Amino acid sequence: LFLLFSFIFLFNFSRLRIMESSKFKRRVAFYEGDGATQNLICSLQITGDTSLKMFDNNIGCSNDEARSMKVYNIEAGWYLTVWDSGYVDFYDDYNEFMITKTITHGYVLSGFENWGENAYGWQRLLNYNGLNGKVSFFEAKKSTVFWKSPRIVLKEGNFGTQDRVCISIKAYGTSNTFYNYDMRSESGCTNDEARSMILYNIPKGTVIELYDSGTRSQSDDYYVFLARKDLECYRVDTFEKTFSNDYAKGTYFEHNGLDGKVTWVRVRPP
């Protein structure tokens, strides 16, 4: 009887150790509702760089269902990205969670249409027509998916929302040289549409100017943005508000409104 008791004890203790050790594996869990509520869609272990299609029956997930995610035991330096498209597509919605502080327990990302800093890193969103409940592709990598070269994306809505007005503006070139982009003739751009912009990998000292006038007249509305630090990903929500912080400074010179009326963009690399 003693030997039987000892065997049962040791078996249960070993099983407990196995269960406990599994808690320390990198893992993400997707949920049907906001804030990790409603049904669990699937739970995925992250052992290395991972790319998964949510509609792949082999992984047990459901396509176009996930609205939130819970993250377990993932170190700083990882990037978790969800995509609307079934593959890496920079012309559809995607959200990247850049982990800057190691997560040692379950941390909830309440949704995939959020932007900004949280307790364990940054969520960066490229929004087109919504991502919550539309996730088709997931990646976990040790490097960002965002553009490596300096780039400016103009958006039709405020807060980086709605359609892309222009995606071809490059924010690099010869130092202290102005590069001009006329929205009326620039390929892939639309005149009198932009209301906000998203900046990628903008070096410290870069100056971006946006004008209502097609001749860059300062007698009409214009906006001047200065990067005070290297900006991996930064959003300007409106061109009609002056602001200043540790990362950047934006100055609005008002006449009769600039949002939705941008005709000329000028960029000066540092």
Side-chain angles (χ1 to χ4, degrees), residues 30-162:
F30 292 97
Y31 288 84
E32 187 179 326
D34 297 333
T37 59
Q38 298 185 41
N39 293 329
L40 173 67
I41 294 172
C42 62
S43 179
L44 305 172
Q45 185 174 330
I46 309 300
T47 57
D49 282 3
T50 302
S51 298
L52 296 170
K53 296 177 180 179
M54 302 296 281
F55 48 83
D56 185 345
N57 293 330
N58 293 324
I59 65 172
C61 292
S62 298
N63 188 43
D64 288 345
E65 291 285 346
R67 299 181 64 90
S68 60
M69 177 171 67
K70 199 168 186 179
V71 181
Y72 300 86
N73 309 307
I74 299 185
E75 308 95 318
W78 280 87
Y79 296 80
L80 310 180
T81 310
V82 291
W83 308 78
D84 185 348
S85 178
Y87 52 92
V88 174
D89 181 2
F90 293 104
Y91 296 89
D92 208 345
D93 299 75
Y94 60 101
N95 187 296
E96 180 184 77
F97 177 33
M98 177 182 68
I99 300 174
T100 58
K101 180 181 178 182
T102 297
I103 299 171
T104 56
H105 62 286
Y107 179 72
V108 173
L109 288 182
S110 60
F112 301 126
E113 295 178 15
N114 300 327
W115 177 290
E117 190 173 14
N118 55 41
Y120 289 92
W122 281 85
Q123 274 185 273
R124 289 100 63 88
L125 171 70
L126 194 61
N127 187 36
Y128 176 59
N129 58 5
L131 184 55
N132 286 339
K134 299 170 64 180
V135 173
S136 294
F137 192 67
F138 167 75
E139 284 194 319
K141 293 184 178 295
K142 295 284 284 183
S143 60
T144 181
V145 300
F146 281 90
W147 286 293
K148 305 300 189 297
S149 60
R151 187 178 293 266
I152 303 166
V153 176
L154 299 180
K155 300 286 285 181
E156 183 183 5
N158 293 117
F159 304 99
T161 61
Q162 299 185 44

Side-chain angles (χ1 to χ4, degrees), residues 201-222:
N201 299 300
I202 301 297
K204 177 182 177 181
T206 299
V207 175
I208 303 168
E209 301 174 358
L210 302 99
Y211 294 87
D212 186 346
S213 168
T215 60
R216 303 193 310 275
S217 171
Q218 294 187 355
S219 62
D220 209 342
D221 297 77
Y222 67 103

